[in-house]
Amino acid sequence: MIMKYENLFTNIFKLIISLFLFFESIYIQKLFIWIFHIKKITPSLVTVLSFTSNLVILILLFLLFRKDIIKEFRIFKNNISNNIDIGFKYWLIGLAGMMISNILITIIFQGGGADNEQQVQKMIQAAPLFMILNAGLIAPINEEILFRKNFRNIFKNNIIFILVSGIFFGYLHVSGATSLLQWIYIIPYSSLGIGFAIMYSKTNTVFTSICMHMMHNTVLTLISILL
């Protein structure tokens, strides 16, 4: 019983550290600005700084979850075909929920799109290569460790894990919202997050959701660049 509570407190502590890294990553960027005596912040530099801070967070998260990451990579590798099949299935379900809710928001509320998405588009235009690496590769790993691995360690009940993980994922993408309309976009983002959470609960390896998240972000980033 004592060991059980020790593990819970450890996992909660890791969650707090991870959340701090994510929501205070601006200070990592400010550190680089100070180190390199940067005077002018351009759109391209904002993208590079975002990439750099995400890379630092990735390294820190790996150190924090090293044993779990290695263990779950082995699980993923040993049944890779089945894990990808399950992941693709629930990615499609999450994507459908995201698209349908976005369409309904546009029709009902005359929404012009989430502020987060508009910011991402600006960063893609400013530095497309860095955004492929940042949004397509690094960010999915960071977000899956934070919103899937962290919450799975704390919530053993599948339904609670899926809902909490999905909703917090949605919250991340609208946390800077300044209007009720922008807060409503938590629904499409949460739909996708729930899809990622379900595939993790089905395969018991965060690498399933990491792969699907990478594919999702990379495809959308490439479409934005090409169009």
Side-chain angles (χ1 to χ4, degrees), residues 94-114 181 184-189 191:
L95 181 64
M98 187 179 196
M99 293 175 66
I100 291 170
S101 54
N102 267 321
I103 291 171
L104 290 175
I105 290 171
T106 301
I107 294 174
I108 297 172
F109 299 99
Q110 301 298 308
L181 174 60
I184 293 176
Y185 282 101
I186 194 175
I187 298 174
Y189 284 119
S191 298

Side-chain angles (χ1 to χ4, degrees), residues 65-217:
F65 294 94
R66 181 176 58 85
K67 291 182 179 179
D68 285 348
I69 289 173
I70 294 172
K71 176 183 175 182
E72 293 191 16
F73 178 73
R74 290 171 180 163
I75 294 174
F76 178 76
K77 183 180 67 172
N78 291 337
N79 199 14
I80 187 168
S81 179
N82 185 58
N83 290 333
I84 291 296
D85 286 344
I86 292 173
F88 193 75
K89 172 184 175 181
Y90 287 103
W91 169 71
L92 286 176
I93 293 173
L95 181 64
M98 187 179 196
M99 293 175 66
I100 291 170
S101 54
N102 267 321
I103 291 171
L104 290 175
I105 290 171
T106 301
I107 294 174
I108 297 172
F109 299 99
Q110 301 298 308
D115 286 344
N116 176 77
E117 184 59 31
Q118 295 174 23
Q119 182 62 35
V120 168
Q121 292 302 320
K122 291 178 182 178
M123 294 171 73
I124 291 174
Q125 294 174 13
L129 177 58
F130 275 101
M131 278 302 289
I132 291 175
L133 296 174
N134 191 21
L137 300 178
I138 297 176
I141 299 175
N142 290 349
E143 291 177 11
E144 290 308 308
I145 291 175
L146 172 58
F147 294 102
R148 251 56 73 184
K149 183 65 208 161
N150 260 312
F151 287 112
R152 189 52 170 171
N153 284 349
I154 296 173
F155 300 105
K156 303 305 179 183
N157 179 280
N158 280 339
I159 294 177
I160 294 176
F161 159 66
I162 290 168
L163 290 177
V164 172
S165 172
I167 292 171
F168 263 84
F169 179 78
Y171 169 76
L172 167 71
H173 292 83
V174 299
S175 59
T178 56
S179 67
L180 177 60
L181 174 60
Q182 286 301 314
W183 277 109
I184 293 176
Y185 282 101
I186 194 175
I187 298 174
Y189 284 119
S190 294
S191 298
L192 187 62
I194 286 173
F196 290 141
I198 293 174
M199 66 180 73
Y200 184 19
S201 69
K202 294 285 186 181
T203 62
N204 294 316
T205 168
V206 73
F207 283 91
T208 303
S209 55
I210 285 175
C211 286
M212 293 300 106
H213 200 157
M214 281 182 172
M215 179 190 72
H216 177 86
N217 283 15

Side-chain angles (χ1 to χ4, degrees), residues 32-99:
F32 281 104
I33 292 173
W34 176 75
I35 290 173
F36 294 103
H37 305 287
I38 298 172
K39 302 298 182 182
K40 184 179 180 181
I41 307 298
T42 64
S44 296
L45 184 59
V46 170
T47 306
V48 174
L49 288 171
S50 174
F51 165 79
T52 306
S53 64
N54 273 333
L55 185 59
V56 172
I57 291 172
L58 173 61
I59 294 170
L60 295 175
L61 288 177
F62 177 79
L63 294 174
L64 199 60
F65 294 94
R66 181 176 58 85
K67 291 182 179 179
D68 285 348
I69 289 173
I70 294 172
K71 176 183 175 182
E72 293 191 16
F73 178 73
R74 290 171 180 163
I75 294 174
F76 178 76
K77 183 180 67 172
N78 291 337
N79 199 14
I80 187 168
S81 179
N82 185 58
N83 290 333
I84 291 296
D85 286 344
I86 292 173
F88 193 75
K89 172 184 175 181
Y90 287 103
W91 169 71
L92 286 176
I93 293 173
L95 181 64
M98 187 179 196
M99 293 175 66

